[in-house]
Amino acid sequence: VRIDFAMQRSAVSVAANIVEGRGRGTTSGLVSFLWIAAGSLTELDTFFVIPRQLNYPNEEHFRELESRIEEVG
């Protein structure tokens, strides 16, 4: 599995679930999809842990991306 593709899928899933929840037109529908989006965001965050454990380079780049994830979450 390519981590970059998995990360992209997770990132798109976050946005798609927020939009889908909003489109449901009910508070309960929105909340349900926000929880799903939060799960995808957690999945995306996990994909930042894996390369670090494999000693991939550029720690500063990882910190910047994590900061962006926290802003979204």
Side-chain angles (χ1 to χ4, degrees), residues 8-67:
Q8 184 177 30
R9 183 189 54 78
S10 295
V12 169
S13 180
V14 171
N17 280 297
I18 292 170
V19 170
E20 185 171 351
R22 178 82 169 112
R24 295 291 170 142
T26 65
T27 301
S28 63
L30 175 60
V31 169
S32 178
F33 279 89
L34 287 176
W35 279 110
I36 295 168
S40 295
L41 195 59
T42 301
E43 180 180 342
L44 180 58
D45 190 43
T46 300
F47 290 129
F48 286 96
V49 173
I50 294 167
R52 279 186 177 151
Q53 291 178 346
L54 296 175
N55 296 317
Y56 284 7
N58 205 346
E59 183 68 26
E60 183 177 328
H61 185 71
F62 284 121
R63 281 195 299 269
E64 171 65 26
L65 293 172
E66 281 185 321
S67 174

